[in-house]
mmCIF file with all atom_site columns, all heavy atoms in Angstrom:
data_model
loop_
_atom_site.group_PDB
_atom_site.id
_atom_site.type_symbol
_atom_site.label_atom_id
_atom_site.label_alt_id
_atom_site.label_comp_id
_atom_site.label_asym_id
_atom_site.label_entity_id
_atom_site.label_seq_id
_atom_site.pdbx_PDB_ins_code
_atom_site.Cartn_x
_atom_site.Cartn_y
_atom_site.Cartn_z
_atom_site.occupancy
_atom_site.B_iso_or_equiv
_atom_site.pdbx_formal_charge
_atom_site.auth_seq_id
_atom_site.auth_comp_id
_atom_site.auth_asym_id
_atom_site.auth_atom_id
_atom_site.pdbx_PDB_model_num
ATOM 1   N N   . GLY W 1 1  ? -128.895 23.823 -9.641  1.00 84.00 ? 33 GLY W N   1
ATOM 2   C CA  . GLY W 1 1  ? -130.243 23.572 -10.032 1.00 84.00 ? 33 GLY W CA  1
ATOM 3   C C   . GLY W 1 1  ? -130.846 24.685 -10.863 1.00 84.00 ? 33 GLY W C   1
ATOM 4   O O   . GLY W 1 1  ? -130.146 25.471 -11.526 1.00 84.00 ? 33 GLY W O   1
ATOM 5   N N   . PRO W 1 2  ? -132.198 24.792 -10.828 1.00 83.00 ? 34 PRO W N   1
ATOM 6   C CA  . PRO W 1 2  ? -132.859 25.806 -11.602 1.00 83.00 ? 34 PRO W CA  1
ATOM 7   C C   . PRO W 1 2  ? -132.518 27.270 -11.345 1.00 83.00 ? 34 PRO W C   1
ATOM 8   O O   . PRO W 1 2  ? -132.062 27.561 -10.211 1.00 83.00 ? 34 PRO W O   1
ATOM 9   C CB  . PRO W 1 2  ? -134.399 25.635 -11.260 1.00 83.00 ? 34 PRO W CB  1
ATOM 10  C CG  . PRO W 1 2  ? -134.441 24.250 -10.722 1.00 83.00 ? 34 PRO W CG  1
ATOM 11  C CD  . PRO W 1 2  ? -133.153 24.008 -10.049 1.00 83.00 ? 34 PRO W CD  1
ATOM 12  N N   . GLY W 1 3  ? -132.458 28.116 -12.364 1.00 78.00 ? 35 GLY W N   1
ATOM 13  C CA  . GLY W 1 3  ? -132.178 29.530 -12.097 1.00 78.00 ? 35 GLY W CA  1
ATOM 14  C C   . GLY W 1 3  ? -131.057 30.138 -13.029 1.00 78.00 ? 35 GLY W C   1
ATOM 15  O O   . GLY W 1 3  ? -130.923 31.254 -13.183 1.00 78.00 ? 35 GLY W O   1
ATOM 16  N N   . ASP W 1 4  ? -130.317 29.185 -13.598 1.00 81.00 ? 36 ASP W N   1
ATOM 17  C CA  . ASP W 1 4  ? -129.224 29.604 -14.498 1.00 81.00 ? 36 ASP W CA  1
ATOM 18  C C   . ASP W 1 4  ? -129.580 29.202 -15.960 1.00 81.00 ? 36 ASP W C   1
ATOM 19  O O   . ASP W 1 4  ? -130.591 28.623 -16.241 1.00 81.00 ? 36 ASP W O   1
ATOM 20  C CB  . ASP W 1 4  ? -127.863 29.134 -14.046 1.00 81.00 ? 36 ASP W CB  1
ATOM 21  C CG  . ASP W 1 4  ? -126.757 30.170 -14.275 1.00 81.00 ? 36 ASP W CG  1
ATOM 22  O OD1 . ASP W 1 4  ? -126.613 30.629 -15.419 1.00 81.00 ? 36 ASP W OD1 1
ATOM 23  O OD2 . ASP W 1 4  ? -126.022 30.416 -13.226 1.00 81.00 ? 36 ASP W OD2 1
ATOM 24  N N   . ASP W 1 5  ? -128.664 29.312 -16.878 1.00 86.00 ? 37 ASP W N   1
ATOM 25  C CA  . ASP W 1 5  ? -128.821 28.969 -18.248 1.00 86.00 ? 37 ASP W CA  1
ATOM 26  C C   . ASP W 1 5  ? -128.902 27.435 -18.443 1.00 86.00 ? 37 ASP W C   1
ATOM 27  O O   . ASP W 1 5  ? -129.554 26.902 -19.370 1.00 86.00 ? 37 ASP W O   1
ATOM 28  C CB  . ASP W 1 5  ? -127.726 29.480 -19.157 1.00 86.00 ? 37 ASP W CB  1
ATOM 29  C CG  . ASP W 1 5  ? -127.831 30.978 -19.328 1.00 86.00 ? 37 ASP W CG  1
ATOM 30  O OD1 . ASP W 1 5  ? -128.914 31.520 -19.434 1.00 86.00 ? 37 ASP W OD1 1
ATOM 31  O OD2 . ASP W 1 5  ? -126.789 31.610 -19.195 1.00 86.00 ? 37 ASP W OD2 1
ATOM 32  N N   . ALA W 1 6  ? -128.346 26.665 -17.418 1.00 89.00 ? 38 ALA W N   1
ATOM 33  C CA  . ALA W 1 6  ? -128.340 25.191 -17.537 1.00 89.00 ? 38 ALA W CA  1
ATOM 34  C C   . ALA W 1 6  ? -128.141 24.682 -16.170 1.00 89.00 ? 38 ALA W C   1
ATOM 35  O O   . ALA W 1 6  ? -127.533 25.425 -15.244 1.00 89.00 ? 38 ALA W O   1
ATOM 36  C CB  . ALA W 1 6  ? -127.241 24.591 -18.522 1.00 89.00 ? 38 ALA W CB  1
ATOM 37  N N   . ALA W 1 7  ? -128.476 23.395 -15.894 1.00 88.00 ? 39 ALA W N   1
ATOM 38  C CA  . ALA W 1 7  ? -128.184 22.763 -14.640 1.00 88.00 ? 39 ALA W CA  1
ATOM 39  C C   . ALA W 1 7  ? -126.894 21.976 -14.717 1.00 88.00 ? 39 ALA W C   1
ATOM 40  O O   . ALA W 1 7  ? -126.425 21.650 -15.794 1.00 88.00 ? 39 ALA W O   1
ATOM 41  C CB  . ALA W 1 7  ? -129.354 21.827 -14.274 1.00 88.00 ? 39 ALA W CB  1
ATOM 42  N N   . LEU W 1 8  ? -126.352 21.785 -13.523 1.00 91.00 ? 40 LEU W N   1
ATOM 43  C CA  . LEU W 1 8  ? -125.106 20.963 -13.445 1.00 91.00 ? 40 LEU W CA  1
ATOM 44  C C   . LEU W 1 8  ? -125.371 19.732 -12.542 1.00 91.00 ? 40 LEU W C   1
ATOM 45  O O   . LEU W 1 8  ? -125.682 19.918 -11.399 1.00 91.00 ? 40 LEU W O   1
ATOM 46  C CB  . LEU W 1 8  ? -123.928 21.818 -12.905 1.00 91.00 ? 40 LEU W CB  1
ATOM 47  C CG  . LEU W 1 8  ? -122.600 21.111 -12.745 1.00 91.00 ? 40 LEU W CG  1
ATOM 48  C CD1 . LEU W 1 8  ? -122.114 20.691 -14.156 1.00 91.00 ? 40 LEU W CD1 1
ATOM 49  C CD2 . LEU W 1 8  ? -121.552 22.023 -12.124 1.00 91.00 ? 40 LEU W CD2 1
ATOM 50  N N   . VAL W 1 9  ? -125.286 18.509 -13.175 1.00 89.00 ? 41 VAL W N   1
ATOM 51  C CA  . VAL W 1 9  ? -125.643 17.336 -12.460 1.00 89.00 ? 41 VAL W CA  1
ATOM 52  C C   . VAL W 1 9  ? -124.476 16.409 -12.490 1.00 89.00 ? 41 VAL W C   1
ATOM 53  O O   . VAL W 1 9  ? -123.771 16.244 -13.510 1.00 89.00 ? 41 VAL W O   1
ATOM 54  C CB  . VAL W 1 9  ? -126.806 16.619 -13.115 1.00 89.00 ? 41 VAL W CB  1
ATOM 55  C CG1 . VAL W 1 9  ? -127.209 15.390 -12.358 1.00 89.00 ? 41 VAL W CG1 1
ATOM 56  C CG2 . VAL W 1 9  ? -127.965 17.550 -13.230 1.00 89.00 ? 41 VAL W CG2 1
ATOM 57  N N   . ALA W 1 10 ? -124.117 15.768 -11.341 1.00 86.00 ? 42 ALA W N   1
ATOM 58  C CA  . ALA W 1 10 ? -122.962 14.871 -11.147 1.00 86.00 ? 42 ALA W CA  1
ATOM 59  C C   . ALA W 1 10 ? -123.298 13.584 -11.909 1.00 86.00 ? 42 ALA W C   1
ATOM 60  O O   . ALA W 1 10 ? -124.308 13.059 -11.857 1.00 86.00 ? 42 ALA W O   1
ATOM 61  C CB  . ALA W 1 10 ? -122.620 14.617 -9.773  1.00 86.00 ? 42 ALA W CB  1
ATOM 62  N N   . ALA W 1 11 ? -122.161 13.045 -12.587 1.00 86.00 ? 43 ALA W N   1
ATOM 63  C CA  . ALA W 1 11 ? -122.143 11.694 -13.161 1.00 86.00 ? 43 ALA W CA  1
ATOM 64  C C   . ALA W 1 11 ? -121.048 10.968 -12.593 1.00 86.00 ? 43 ALA W C   1
ATOM 65  O O   . ALA W 1 11 ? -119.920 11.192 -12.949 1.00 86.00 ? 43 ALA W O   1
ATOM 66  C CB  . ALA W 1 11 ? -122.144 11.813 -14.735 1.00 86.00 ? 43 ALA W CB  1
ATOM 67  N N   . SER W 1 12 ? -121.275 10.096 -11.622 1.00 80.00 ? 44 SER W N   1
ATOM 68  C CA  . SER W 1 12 ? -120.267 9.535  -10.749 1.00 80.00 ? 44 SER W CA  1
ATOM 69  C C   . SER W 1 12 ? -119.165 8.763  -11.550 1.00 80.00 ? 44 SER W C   1
ATOM 70  O O   . SER W 1 12 ? -118.059 8.748  -11.120 1.00 80.00 ? 44 SER W O   1
ATOM 71  C CB  . SER W 1 12 ? -120.949 8.543  -9.746  1.00 80.00 ? 44 SER W CB  1
ATOM 72  O OG  . SER W 1 12 ? -121.625 7.492  -10.365 1.00 80.00 ? 44 SER W OG  1
ATOM 73  N N   . ASP W 1 13 ? -119.579 8.149  -12.602 1.00 83.00 ? 45 ASP W N   1
ATOM 74  C CA  . ASP W 1 13 ? -118.532 7.397  -13.426 1.00 83.00 ? 45 ASP W CA  1
ATOM 75  C C   . ASP W 1 13 ? -118.363 7.975  -14.893 1.00 83.00 ? 45 ASP W C   1
ATOM 76  O O   . ASP W 1 13 ? -117.788 7.363  -15.686 1.00 83.00 ? 45 ASP W O   1
ATOM 77  C CB  . ASP W 1 13 ? -118.885 5.867  -13.592 1.00 83.00 ? 45 ASP W CB  1
ATOM 78  C CG  . ASP W 1 13 ? -120.177 5.625  -14.339 1.00 83.00 ? 45 ASP W CG  1
ATOM 79  O OD1 . ASP W 1 13 ? -120.795 6.689  -14.716 1.00 83.00 ? 45 ASP W OD1 1
ATOM 80  O OD2 . ASP W 1 13 ? -120.517 4.528  -14.594 1.00 83.00 ? 45 ASP W OD2 1
ATOM 81  N N   . GLY W 1 14 ? -118.774 9.208  -15.004 1.00 87.00 ? 46 GLY W N   1
ATOM 82  C CA  . GLY W 1 14 ? -118.521 9.951  -16.238 1.00 87.00 ? 46 GLY W CA  1
ATOM 83  C C   . GLY W 1 14 ? -119.443 9.591  -17.397 1.00 87.00 ? 46 GLY W C   1
ATOM 84  O O   . GLY W 1 14 ? -119.325 10.091 -18.445 1.00 87.00 ? 46 GLY W O   1
ATOM 85  N N   . ARG W 1 15 ? -120.493 8.845  -17.063 1.00 91.00 ? 47 ARG W N   1
ATOM 86  C CA  . ARG W 1 15 ? -121.525 8.491  -18.029 1.00 91.00 ? 47 ARG W CA  1
ATOM 87  C C   . ARG W 1 15 ? -122.966 8.698  -17.453 1.00 91.00 ? 47 ARG W C   1
ATOM 88  O O   . ARG W 1 15 ? -123.061 8.708  -16.202 1.00 91.00 ? 47 ARG W O   1
ATOM 89  C CB  . ARG W 1 15 ? -121.473 7.107  -18.455 1.00 91.00 ? 47 ARG W CB  1
ATOM 90  C CG  . ARG W 1 15 ? -120.128 6.505  -18.916 1.00 91.00 ? 47 ARG W CG  1
ATOM 91  C CD  . ARG W 1 15 ? -120.159 5.060  -19.057 1.00 91.00 ? 47 ARG W CD  1
ATOM 92  N NE  . ARG W 1 15 ? -120.552 4.379  -17.773 1.00 91.00 ? 47 ARG W NE  1
ATOM 93  C CZ  . ARG W 1 15 ? -121.058 3.199  -17.684 1.00 91.00 ? 47 ARG W CZ  1
ATOM 94  N NH1 . ARG W 1 15 ? -121.185 2.431  -18.784 1.00 91.00 ? 47 ARG W NH1 1
ATOM 95  N NH2 . ARG W 1 15 ? -121.235 2.730  -16.526 1.00 91.00 ? 47 ARG W NH2 1
ATOM 96  N N   . PHE W 1 16 ? -123.968 8.965  -18.215 1.00 91.00 ? 48 PHE W N   1
ATOM 97  C CA  . PHE W 1 16 ? -125.336 8.931  -17.777 1.00 91.00 ? 48 PHE W CA  1
ATOM 98  C C   . PHE W 1 16 ? -126.316 8.627  -18.914 1.00 91.00 ? 48 PHE W C   1
ATOM 99  O O   . PHE W 1 16 ? -125.937 8.771  -20.105 1.00 91.00 ? 48 PHE W O   1
ATOM 100 C CB  . PHE W 1 16 ? -125.673 10.376 -17.158 1.00 91.00 ? 48 PHE W CB  1
ATOM 101 C CG  . PHE W 1 16 ? -125.615 11.508 -18.128 1.00 91.00 ? 48 PHE W CG  1
ATOM 102 C CD1 . PHE W 1 16 ? -126.686 11.854 -18.861 1.00 91.00 ? 48 PHE W CD1 1
ATOM 103 C CD2 . PHE W 1 16 ? -124.457 12.178 -18.258 1.00 91.00 ? 48 PHE W CD2 1
ATOM 104 C CE1 . PHE W 1 16 ? -126.653 12.976 -19.787 1.00 91.00 ? 48 PHE W CE1 1
ATOM 105 C CE2 . PHE W 1 16 ? -124.342 13.242 -19.176 1.00 91.00 ? 48 PHE W CE2 1
ATOM 106 C CZ  . PHE W 1 16 ? -125.426 13.619 -19.961 1.00 91.00 ? 48 PHE W CZ  1
ATOM 107 N N   . LEU W 1 17 ? -127.351 8.046  -18.537 1.00 95.00 ? 49 LEU W N   1
ATOM 108 C CA  . LEU W 1 17 ? -128.415 7.677  -19.439 1.00 95.00 ? 49 LEU W CA  1
ATOM 109 C C   . LEU W 1 17 ? -129.395 8.849  -19.645 1.00 95.00 ? 49 LEU W C   1
ATOM 110 O O   . LEU W 1 17 ? -129.579 9.645  -18.749 1.00 95.00 ? 49 LEU W O   1
ATOM 111 C CB  . LEU W 1 17 ? -129.280 6.515  -18.919 1.00 95.00 ? 49 LEU W CB  1
ATOM 112 C CG  . LEU W 1 17 ? -128.471 5.135  -18.744 1.00 95.00 ? 49 LEU W CG  1
ATOM 113 C CD1 . LEU W 1 17 ? -129.303 4.135  -17.960 1.00 95.00 ? 49 LEU W CD1 1
ATOM 114 C CD2 . LEU W 1 17 ? -128.131 4.574  -20.063 1.00 95.00 ? 49 LEU W CD2 1
ATOM 115 N N   . VAL W 1 18 ? -129.954 8.951  -20.852 1.00 96.00 ? 50 VAL W N   1
ATOM 116 C CA  . VAL W 1 18 ? -130.887 10.014 -21.261 1.00 96.00 ? 50 VAL W CA  1
ATOM 117 C C   . VAL W 1 18 ? -132.062 9.372  -21.880 1.00 96.00 ? 50 VAL W C   1
ATOM 118 O O   . VAL W 1 18 ? -131.856 8.532  -22.811 1.00 96.00 ? 50 VAL W O   1
ATOM 119 C CB  . VAL W 1 18 ? -130.278 11.054 -22.137 1.00 96.00 ? 50 VAL W CB  1
ATOM 120 C CG1 . VAL W 1 18 ? -131.236 12.175 -22.349 1.00 96.00 ? 50 VAL W CG1 1
ATOM 121 C CG2 . VAL W 1 18 ? -129.020 11.726 -21.465 1.00 96.00 ? 50 VAL W CG2 1
ATOM 122 N N   . THR W 1 19 ? -133.191 9.754  -21.450 1.00 97.00 ? 51 THR W N   1
ATOM 123 C CA  . THR W 1 19 ? -134.496 9.366  -22.194 1.00 97.00 ? 51 THR W CA  1
ATOM 124 C C   . THR W 1 19 ? -135.541 10.519 -22.186 1.00 97.00 ? 51 THR W C   1
ATOM 125 O O   . THR W 1 19 ? -135.456 11.387 -21.316 1.00 97.00 ? 51 THR W O   1
ATOM 126 C CB  . THR W 1 19 ? -135.127 8.057  -21.595 1.00 97.00 ? 51 THR W CB  1
ATOM 127 O OG1 . THR W 1 19 ? -136.271 7.626  -22.280 1.00 97.00 ? 51 THR W OG1 1
ATOM 128 C CG2 . THR W 1 19 ? -135.608 8.308  -20.095 1.00 97.00 ? 51 THR W CG2 1
ATOM 129 N N   . THR W 1 20 ? -136.322 10.499 -23.239 1.00 96.00 ? 52 THR W N   1
ATOM 130 C CA  . THR W 1 20 ? -137.303 11.561 -23.298 1.00 96.00 ? 52 THR W CA  1
ATOM 131 C C   . THR W 1 20 ? -138.671 10.984 -23.724 1.00 96.00 ? 52 THR W C   1
ATOM 132 O O   . THR W 1 20 ? -138.766 10.040 -24.473 1.00 96.00 ? 52 THR W O   1
ATOM 133 C CB  . THR W 1 20 ? -136.837 12.690 -24.160 1.00 96.00 ? 52 THR W CB  1
ATOM 134 O OG1 . THR W 1 20 ? -137.673 13.879 -24.028 1.00 96.00 ? 52 THR W OG1 1
ATOM 135 C CG2 . THR W 1 20 ? -136.844 12.321 -25.546 1.00 96.00 ? 52 THR W CG2 1
ATOM 136 N N   . ASP W 1 21 ? -139.740 11.666 -23.327 1.00 95.00 ? 53 ASP W N   1
ATOM 137 C CA  . ASP W 1 21 ? -141.074 11.247 -23.753 1.00 95.00 ? 53 ASP W CA  1
ATOM 138 C C   . ASP W 1 21 ? -141.989 12.557 -23.727 1.00 95.00 ? 53 ASP W C   1
ATOM 139 O O   . ASP W 1 21 ? -141.663 13.457 -22.975 1.00 95.00 ? 53 ASP W O   1
ATOM 140 C CB  . ASP W 1 21 ? -141.667 10.199 -22.844 1.00 95.00 ? 53 ASP W CB  1
ATOM 141 C CG  . ASP W 1 21 ? -142.518 9.243  -23.501 1.00 95.00 ? 53 ASP W CG  1
ATOM 142 O OD1 . ASP W 1 21 ? -143.076 9.558  -24.601 1.00 95.00 ? 53 ASP W OD1 1
ATOM 143 O OD2 . ASP W 1 21 ? -142.697 8.138  -23.084 1.00 95.00 ? 53 ASP W OD2 1
ATOM 144 N N   . VAL W 1 22 ? -143.091 12.449 -24.421 1.00 96.00 ? 54 VAL W N   1
ATOM 145 C CA  . VAL W 1 22 ? -143.954 13.682 -24.545 1.00 96.00 ? 54 VAL W CA  1
ATOM 146 C C   . VAL W 1 22 ? -145.428 13.181 -24.282 1.00 96.00 ? 54 VAL W C   1
ATOM 147 O O   . VAL W 1 22 ? -145.837 12.122 -24.710 1.00 96.00 ? 54 VAL W O   1
ATOM 148 C CB  . VAL W 1 22 ? -143.860 14.323 -25.964 1.00 96.00 ? 54 VAL W CB  1
ATOM 149 C CG1 . VAL W 1 22 ? -144.852 15.586 -26.005 1.00 96.00 ? 54 VAL W CG1 1
ATOM 150 C CG2 . VAL W 1 22 ? -142.507 14.825 -26.204 1.00 96.00 ? 54 VAL W CG2 1
ATOM 151 N N   . LEU W 1 23 ? -146.083 14.030 -23.599 1.00 96.00 ? 55 LEU W N   1
ATOM 152 C CA  . LEU W 1 23 ? -147.526 13.840 -23.402 1.00 96.00 ? 55 LEU W CA  1
ATOM 153 C C   . LEU W 1 23 ? -148.322 15.001 -23.982 1.00 96.00 ? 55 LEU W C   1
ATOM 154 O O   . LEU W 1 23 ? -148.052 16.165 -23.606 1.00 96.00 ? 55 LEU W O   1
ATOM 155 C CB  . LEU W 1 23 ? -147.935 13.765 -21.886 1.00 96.00 ? 55 LEU W CB  1
ATOM 156 C CG  . LEU W 1 23 ? -147.539 12.524 -21.131 1.00 96.00 ? 55 LEU W CG  1
ATOM 157 C CD1 . LEU W 1 23 ? -147.721 12.747 -19.587 1.00 96.00 ? 55 LEU W CD1 1
ATOM 158 C CD2 . LEU W 1 23 ? -148.315 11.313 -21.569 1.00 96.00 ? 55 LEU W CD2 1
ATOM 159 N N   . VAL W 1 24 ? -149.123 14.748 -24.962 1.00 96.00 ? 56 VAL W N   1
ATOM 160 C CA  . VAL W 1 24 ? -149.910 15.863 -25.706 1.00 96.00 ? 56 VAL W CA  1
ATOM 161 C C   . VAL W 1 24 ? -151.402 15.688 -25.326 1.00 96.00 ? 56 VAL W C   1
ATOM 162 O O   . VAL W 1 24 ? -152.003 14.621 -25.476 1.00 96.00 ? 56 VAL W O   1
ATOM 163 C CB  . VAL W 1 24 ? -149.679 15.668 -27.204 1.00 96.00 ? 56 VAL W CB  1
ATOM 164 C CG1 . VAL W 1 24 ? -150.432 16.701 -27.911 1.00 96.00 ? 56 VAL W CG1 1
ATOM 165 C CG2 . VAL W 1 24 ? -148.107 15.755 -27.456 1.00 96.00 ? 56 VAL W CG2 1
ATOM 166 N N   . GLU W 1 25 ? -151.927 16.810 -24.988 1.00 95.00 ? 57 GLU W N   1
ATOM 167 C CA  . GLU W 1 25 ? -153.403 16.896 -24.621 1.00 95.00 ? 57 GLU W CA  1
ATOM 168 C C   . GLU W 1 25 ? -154.255 16.419 -25.863 1.00 95.00 ? 57 GLU W C   1
ATOM 169 O O   . GLU W 1 25 ? -154.009 16.771 -27.006 1.00 95.00 ? 57 GLU W O   1
ATOM 170 C CB  . GLU W 1 25 ? -153.868 18.300 -24.323 1.00 95.00 ? 57 GLU W CB  1
ATOM 171 C CG  . GLU W 1 25 ? -155.214 18.462 -24.024 1.00 95.00 ? 57 GLU W CG  1
ATOM 172 C CD  . GLU W 1 25 ? -155.645 19.956 -23.777 1.00 95.00 ? 57 GLU W CD  1
ATOM 173 O OE1 . GLU W 1 25 ? -154.713 20.839 -23.823 1.00 95.00 ? 57 GLU W OE1 1
ATOM 174 O OE2 . GLU W 1 25 ? -156.829 20.241 -23.548 1.00 95.00 ? 57 GLU W OE2 1
#
C-alpha cells in the first residue's frame, strides 16, 4: 500500500480495468 514509490495490487486473471476522472473547484 501507501509509503513506497508505487503500490502493488493483485490482478487475479492478469488484467485490470482503469478509469480516471477529475473534480475541479
Side-chain angles (χ1 to χ4, degrees):
D36 218 306
D37 292 317
L40 183 62
V41 181
S44 60
D45 66 354
R47 307 171 303 159
F48 60 93
L49 296 169
V50 181
T51 186
T52 191
D53 215 335
V54 179
L55 289 170
V56 178
E57 179 182 359

